[in-house]
Amino acid sequence: MIERLWAGWRSSYVNGEDDGPTPAGSTSTNAAAHGGAAETSGASDDGKSLFERILTCGLPDEQTYVLWRGHRCAALLNAFPYTSGHLMVLPQRAVADLDQLERDELTELWTGVEQAVLAVRAAYQPGGINVGANLGLAAGAGVPDHLHIHVLPRWEGDTNFMTTVAETRVMPEPLDVSWRKLTAAWPPA
């Protein structure tokens, strides 16, 4: 498994002492499911998924790393990114699979993915972009009850000796900086 190192506050997560940083509005026991190593449904006692709790917690978007809110979908940063700028586009309501989306949700979801790709290109000027979904726990979904599409910038040679030898990624940018870059680059609705 690839570890990610980018700041001292992450050392407890990397060492397996806790779930790591908790996105505001979520619970620490499920924070790792927001892109981290733990496999969990992310559902809480009230039946809301991790992403639903983040989107409805009432905290400012800059604290919850919500990048965009549409009528039915939203985009937010991955709390444990593969690369700086790694974000997710998702419906605002929890559904596990594409066939459970209403037509308007599906349309807005893919419009959000298109906007995310444009924002990532503008903010990071990557050599390429990965876009993908892990549908189901067996496919690697950290939050299998809430469909989300990953969008992340990639560069030639972005896997270096740290990844190859130490199975560690070095993140050069804190999440708040990624949030500012991507919200500034997000295309107007």
Side-chain angles (χ1 to χ4, degrees):
M1 180 168 110
I2 298 284
E3 297 293 337
R4 295 154 187 88
L5 299 175
W6 57 347
W9 52 267
R10 289 197 36 91
S11 63
S12 60
Y13 168 73
V14 171
N15 292 327
E17 296 166 12
D18 67 19
D19 289 336
T22 304
S26 66
T27 60
S28 63
T29 57
N30 291 322
H34 186 48
E39 295 298 340
T40 178
S41 72
S44 65
D45 292 340
D46 64 3
K48 288 186 176 181
S49 75
L50 171 64
F51 298 140
E52 287 174 313
R53 291 192 315 276
I54 291 169
L55 293 170
T56 62
C57 71
L59 293 172
D61 289 347
E62 66 187 74
Q63 288 181 21
T64 56
Y65 302 123
V66 175
L67 299 163
W68 164 77
R69 291 175 189 265
H71 296 290
R72 296 172 171 258
C73 295
L76 58 146
L77 285 177
N78 190 312
F80 303 108
Y82 186 74
T83 65
S84 294
H86 181 172
L87 65 95
M88 299 170 292
V89 182
L90 52 130
Q92 291 181 17
R93 71 180 180 101
V95 298
D97 214 328
L98 289 166
D99 64 352
Q100 297 171 328
L101 292 170
E102 296 172 2
R103 181 61 43 200
D104 290 345
E105 287 173 311
L106 187 61
T107 299
E108 189 173 83
L109 179 74
W110 290 107
T111 297
V113 170
E114 176 187 33
Q115 291 176 323
V117 167
L118 293 171
V120 165
R121 280 193 181 127
Y124 291 95
Q125 296 85 46
I129 297 176
N130 285 132
V131 174
N134 301 322
L135 302 177
L137 194 59
V143 184
D145 63 338
H146 200 140
L147 165 76
H148 50 285
I149 310 295
H150 295 267
V151 177
L152 56 146
R154 296 302 303 270
W155 295 267
E156 286 188 38
D158 67 1
T159 299
N160 61 25
F161 78 96
M162 286 291 286
T163 305
T164 306
V165 176
E167 294 186 2
T168 300
R169 285 204 167 266
V170 177
M171 296 293 150
E173 181 174 87
L175 289 175
D176 62 324
V177 173
S178 297
W179 183 86
R180 286 194 301 275
K181 279 184 176 179
L182 287 165
T183 55
W186 203 270

